[in-house]
Amino acid sequence: MQMQSVAIGWQVYDRTHRPLDLGFVGLAQFLPAISLSLVAGQTADRFDRRSIIRLCQLGQAVCSVALLVESHMGVGTIAPIYAVLVLMGVARAFSAPANQALLPHLVPTEHFPNAVTWGHSVRQVATVVGPALGGLVYGITGAWAVYAVCASLFLFSFVLMSLVKARTGRLQKEATTLQTLFAGVRYVWHQKIVLGCISLDLFAVLLGGAVALLPVYARDILRTGPLGLGLLRTAPAIGAALMGAVLAYHPLRKKAGARMFVAVAVFGVATIVFGVSRSFIVSLASLMVAGAADMVSVVIRLTLVQLSTPSAMRGRVSAVNMAFINASNELGEFESGVTAALFGTVPAVVLGGIGTLIVVAAGTLLFPELRKLQSLTDEPPSPTPQVPPPASPLPSSPAPGTAAASPLLADLSKAHKPPDRSR
């Protein structure tokens, strides 16, 4: 995906030379992801999550082949690229919640925070290799070769996922209604700590993300070419991977909430430094710092979302989480393109970093529960409002290969058992 993103960004900007078109690249993927998020979450709770992931991987392989054909034919317009991006957004919309909700079935609860850290670190290693390799292949052979490699890797991912033995089956037993469709939204709204961490991540990355404008920096400001673009795209992942290794051996045991606010603030400052930099080395270093800070936020957010959610609702809650992530990434790319077209590339990035710092200041006032959070497995400092439970109870014991229910969730259930309204 990272290789493909580099190729698409460079190809679009090379054809049009308009930063706004880079914003539309993000918008084309964001619209299907956000519009289908609730349906995708419901699907992840009603069907086998492994099968959903496999189908989506096949779909993304088809999209890579379509981009290869378009590149080989040399179509002058970029409209076909946007059409393929919409299909990729659909595949990602259904894959993401199923992927997140599957992990607790593979890892025991007591190891889950560390598993999140390691899993995301391994993904960052791929993110380090992907952009650099994508820029290198693009510079040597052109976009078509990048898309051919991506199609092959998506098919290989399909094979690897087929080897996973865990089968979740249907976890949501009740009939599909508007109430079950929006159950994940209600759950996140009442869990103020979860709402705080994902909304903080949303607005920080929405305003402070400069990824969409990296082709402009590589071509017109730093003048490094496709290979330099790949290295710029790689830098945040390097920082994230290094921070992931630190967190794996030194988990966040105290002041997790306060450290999340500090990390997002560091992300904003690093974005400002990157925006004003004219040195390739300084730009790489600032992007690495931004990636390391973002890693802290990701680990806290993913751990809280998964450990505090019942298994039968994880798909829908993960879908809400992914809607926030997609909004911060793809919609953030669109916002960057628009502000760059209005104010210029450098002012757009700097203003985004300043906006991130304002979001941090506002978040400390709006979400005191998150600011006071100590351990990621502690009970929230204030009582959680009652939320209607799923109509069917969770199994009394997990299936083989399925993680047990979270201790945090069990404590909350005992302390604040809601009335059964399913009847």
Side-chain angles (χ1 to χ4, degrees), residues 36-47 49 52 93-102 104-105 171-172 180-181 183-185 305-306 309-323:
L36 295 173
S37 59
L38 294 181
V39 177
Q42 184 89 303
T43 302
D45 287 337
R46 295 183 68 86
F47 298 96
R49 292 163 180 169
I52 295 172
F94 283 91
S95 174
N99 211 329
Q100 282 196 8
L102 182 64
H105 294 274
L171 297 174
Q172 180 199 349
T180 61
L181 187 66
V185 177
V305 168
Q306 295 297 341
T309 306
S311 178
M313 287 185 61
R314 282 194 184 117
R316 284 164 288 177
V317 173
S318 295
V320 176
N321 181 41
M322 291 308 304

Side-chain angles (χ1 to χ4, degrees), residues 77-343:
T77 178
I78 58 175
I81 296 179
Y82 288 140
V84 175
L85 288 174
V86 171
L87 297 178
M88 289 174 57
V90 173
R92 290 174 60 184
F94 283 91
S95 174
N99 211 329
Q100 282 196 8
L102 182 64
L103 182 59
H105 294 274
L106 308 177
V107 182
T109 301
E110 61 270 21
H111 299 309
F112 187 80
N114 210 18
V116 170
T117 302
W118 277 109
H120 201 70
S121 298
V122 171
R123 181 173 179 174
Q124 292 304 321
V125 171
T127 306
V128 168
V129 177
L133 185 59
L136 178 63
V137 174
Y138 192 109
I140 295 175
T141 60
W144 68 269
V146 179
Y147 300 139
V149 173
C150 292
S152 301
L153 292 178
F154 278 126
L155 291 175
F156 186 57
S157 298
F158 169 83
V159 173
L160 292 179
M161 182 55 64
S162 300
L163 300 178
V164 175
K165 301 300 182 182
R167 302 295 296 270
T168 60
R170 177 170 177 171
L171 297 174
Q172 180 199 349
K173 305 297 184 180
E174 64 268 31
T176 301
T177 63
L178 286 178
Q179 183 177 4
T180 61
L181 187 66
F182 286 91
V185 177
R186 292 195 305 271
Y187 186 88
V188 171
W189 177 257
H190 288 296
Q191 294 282 350
K192 296 303 181 183
I193 289 181
V194 177
L195 176 64
C197 69
I198 64 177
S199 58
L200 179 64
D201 182 83
L202 163 67
F203 291 107
V205 179
L206 176 64
L207 295 173
V211 174
L213 300 178
L214 289 183
V216 183
Y217 273 86
R219 185 186 182 99
D220 299 334
I221 298 177
L222 300 175
R223 301 184 182 280
T224 60
L227 180 58
L229 173 61
L231 294 175
L232 290 174
R233 290 295 299 264
T234 299
I238 294 176
L242 294 175
M243 178 57 70
V246 173
L247 294 178
Y249 287 102
H250 303 282
L252 296 171
R253 302 187 186 278
K254 296 180 179 180
K255 299 181 179 180
R259 290 181 179 180
M260 181 174 185
F261 282 104
V262 172
V264 177
V266 171
F267 177 85
V269 173
T271 300
I272 296 174
V273 173
F274 170 78
V276 300
S277 171
R278 295 297 182 272
S279 167
F280 184 66
I281 300 300
V282 173
S283 298
L284 286 176
S286 60
L287 289 175
M288 289 177 61
V289 172
D294 185 59
M295 181 66 174
V296 176
S297 174
V298 167
V299 170
I300 294 175
R301 172 170 44 82
L302 291 181
T303 302
L304 287 176
V305 168
Q306 295 297 341
L307 288 188
S308 65
T309 306
S311 178
M313 287 185 61
R314 282 194 184 117
R316 284 164 288 177
V317 173
S318 295
V320 176
N321 181 41
M322 291 308 304
F324 276 72
I325 294 175
N326 289 328
S328 63
N329 292 333
E330 277 74 29
L331 190 58
E333 291 183 11
F334 178 67
E335 178 270 338
S336 297
V338 171
T339 53
L342 293 176
F343 307 111

